[in-house]
């Protein structure tokens, strides 16, 4: 069975609802991308987990949402790394902090994870300082072990971050991803694999390279509600096509054969045309995922917020059921238990 039909079979087999994907593990309860975050998501029964990958100076893929790590690690508490603090322009935006590409893996391994949103997720912040950073290989091993222990198929939705930026500093991410997938034994096709990015260029590179390495995957194009992909901006400047262009009929037509699906900001699905967008993609054979379903008022659409301020849970069920009604195939969640309860109802 080829990978496209296999991944589609995984989606179709999800009972009464879309795939529930643990976004960075279970970051509603544990610091994102930490070992305990992934272990909890897997124990709660997610269909897949989503690691984001960036690179170190010595070419190790580490699991972080961004290459700037001051908000998710204790790097600022390490006097030996004070001279690494700097300002860089990442995808056109100036950022100041500490960046993974300025460290070796041995150095990053001395850091510990922290909750990125402590004012919203105080309970998760209670786990700060306990767990080291993970590599992509560590997450792949965790998923395989959980699948074997639980006797079920568990997938990985691998997101590649800032590929154009990393290529510009001599760290091409595509061959590093291929290397780690092969080394982790992800060549048998027994567990589903999706690879996603906000940049088509790196997806094209991997789609050309991975089959030769024996790795089968589906490819998903991440689409923001606004803005332009940085790989196109770097190539075409002001003439670069926007993310919105990709959701037009012509834009979706252009994706057919290039990717297997799209993953859109939930704002797209909560808009009046959301179900039509899903239908247009499905008519072209494209799978549709969406991100990110979070129950706190801080992240809910204004129509579904409740009392209690940003950390309080609003009417997340109402928002999520509206998303489910669009016909979406997969949802990224921060609280896997809540996601499974709502999207499996």
């Amino acid at each position: 069975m080829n990978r496209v039909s296999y991944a589609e079979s995984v989606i179709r087999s999800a009972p009464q609802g879309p795939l529930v994907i643990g976004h960075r593990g279970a970051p509603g309860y544990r610091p994102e991308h930490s070992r305990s975050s992934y272990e909890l998501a897997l124990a709660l029964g997610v269909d897949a987990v989503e690691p984001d990958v960036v690179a170190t100076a010595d070419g190790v893929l580490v699991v972080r949402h961004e290459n700037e790590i001051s908000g998710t690690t204790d790097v600022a508490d390490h006097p030996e790394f004070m001279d690494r603090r700097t300002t860089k322009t990442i995808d056109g935006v100036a950022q100041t902090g500490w960046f993974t590409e300025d460290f070796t893996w041995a150095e990053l391994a001395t850091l510990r994870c922290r909750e990125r949103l402590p004012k919203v997720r105080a309970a998760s912040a209670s786990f700060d300082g306990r767990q080291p950073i993970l590599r992509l290989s560590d997450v792949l091993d965790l998923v395989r072990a959980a699948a074997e222990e639980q006797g079920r198929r568990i997938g990985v939705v691998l997101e590649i971050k800032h590929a154009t930026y990393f290529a510009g500093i001599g760290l091409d991410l595509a061959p590093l991803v291929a290397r780690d997938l092969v080394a982790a034994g992800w060549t048998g096709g027994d567990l589903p694999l999706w690879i996603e990015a906000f940049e088509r260029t790196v997806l094209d590179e991997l789609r050309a390279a991975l089959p030769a390495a024996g790795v089968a995957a589906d490819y998903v194009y991440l689409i923001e509600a606004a803005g332009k992909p940085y790989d196109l901006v770097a190539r075409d400047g002001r003439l670069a096509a926007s993310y919105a262009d990709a959701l037009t009929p012509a834009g979706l037509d252009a994706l057919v054969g290039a990717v297997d699906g799209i993953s859109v900001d939930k704002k797209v699905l909560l808009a009046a045309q959301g179900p039509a967008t899903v239908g247009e993609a499905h008519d072209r054979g494209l799978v549709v995922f969406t991100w990110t379903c979070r129950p706190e008022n801080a992240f809910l659409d204004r129509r579904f917020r409740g009392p209690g301020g940003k950390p309080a849970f609003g009417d997340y069920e109402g928002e999520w059921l509206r998303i489910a009604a669009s016909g979406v195939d997969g949802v990224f969640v921060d609280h896997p238990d809540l996601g499974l309860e709502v999207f499996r109802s």
Side-chain angles (χ1 to χ4, degrees):
M1 182 179 293
N2 63 47
R3 170 58 59 176
V4 173
S5 61
Y6 176 68
E8 288 175 352
S9 74
V10 174
I11 291 171
R12 293 191 189 106
S13 68
Q16 301 180 4
L19 294 177
V20 175
I21 303 161
H23 179 242
R24 310 174 203 166
Y29 302 114
R30 302 289 189 274
E32 64 185 37
H33 290 314
S34 64
R35 179 175 293 272
S36 65
S37 182
Y38 283 105
E39 289 177 339
L40 180 57
L42 294 165
L44 288 172
V46 294
D47 299 302
V49 295
E50 183 242 16
D52 304 305
V53 294
V54 292
T56 67
D58 50 347
V60 175
L61 291 179
V62 293
V63 180
R64 293 284 93 192
H65 177 54
E66 296 292 338
N67 55 327
E68 200 291 294
I69 55 173
S70 62
T72 60
T73 74
D74 63 355
V75 64
D77 296 337
H78 286 250
E80 69 272 27
F81 298 141
M82 285 301 101
D83 62 346
R84 309 286 176 92
R85 189 173 188 269
T86 188
T87 298
K88 300 187 179 191
T89 300
I90 311 297
D91 294 358
V93 179
Q95 300 182 38
T96 299
W98 289 262
F99 298 83
T100 59
E101 64 270 21
D102 295 331
F103 294 81
T104 65
W105 164 243
E107 291 172 327
L108 285 183
T110 67
L111 306 182
R112 294 297 178 264
C113 299
R114 282 187 172 173
E115 170 55 47
R116 185 170 57 91
L117 303 166
K119 292 183 179 180
V120 176
R121 294 174 172 170
S124 176
S126 69
F127 292 87
D128 284 359
R130 302 186 189 183
Q131 303 167 81
I133 292 175
L134 297 176
R135 297 163 295 183
L136 172 60
S137 58
D138 298 320
V139 175
L140 295 174
D141 289 345
L142 283 172
V143 173
R144 182 169 297 282
E148 292 175 357
E149 179 182 351
Q150 298 176 27
R152 65 186 184 94
R153 297 178 297 180
I154 306 174
V156 169
V157 183
L158 171 58
E159 181 177 347
I160 302 171
K161 305 302 292 265
H162 308 302
T164 297
Y165 166 78
F166 276 107
I169 60 171
L171 285 167
D172 289 322
L173 297 186
L176 300 180
V177 169
R179 177 202 66 194
D180 283 7
L181 289 169
V182 171
W186 225 264
T187 54
D190 55 327
L191 296 177
L193 172 66
W194 293 267
I195 299 177
E196 62 178 9
F198 286 102
E199 301 177 51
R200 276 273 312 278
T201 303
V202 70
L203 295 179
D204 292 343
E205 292 171 359
L206 284 165
R207 193 176 190 111
L210 284 184
V215 177
D218 281 358
Y219 299 87
V220 178
Y221 187 33
L222 283 158
I223 297 177
E224 297 266 16
K228 297 181 177 183
Y230 188 69
D231 57 336
L232 299 187
V233 171
R235 187 189 71 189
D236 302 330
R238 296 176 61 185
L239 299 179
S242 68
Y243 284 115
D245 292 331
L247 294 177
T248 64
L252 291 172
D253 286 342
L255 294 178
V256 175
V259 296
D260 303 293
I262 58 175
S263 185
V264 300
D265 187 324
K266 68 175 183 176
K267 294 176 184 176
V268 173
L269 300 190
L270 290 169
Q273 71 273 21
T277 299
V278 175
E280 290 277 357
H282 283 169
D283 287 345
R284 292 164 172 79
L286 296 171
V287 166
V288 183
F289 293 164
T290 195
W291 44 274
T292 302
C293 292
R294 297 166 166 139
E296 297 100 339
N297 284 322
F299 309 111
L300 291 172
D301 182 273
R302 185 178 302 276
R303 293 166 290 180
F304 299 96
R305 296 174 193 165
K310 291 183 178 180
F313 288 8
D315 180 19
Y316 65 90
E317 292 175 298
E319 183 190 89
W320 297 1
L321 288 172
R322 180 162 179 170
I323 289 170
S326 71
V328 68
D329 301 297
V331 294
F332 293 86
V333 301
D334 281 6
H335 299 70
D337 54 337
L338 302 183
L340 288 162
E341 179 181 355
V342 173
F343 289 107
R344 292 291 190 264
S345 64

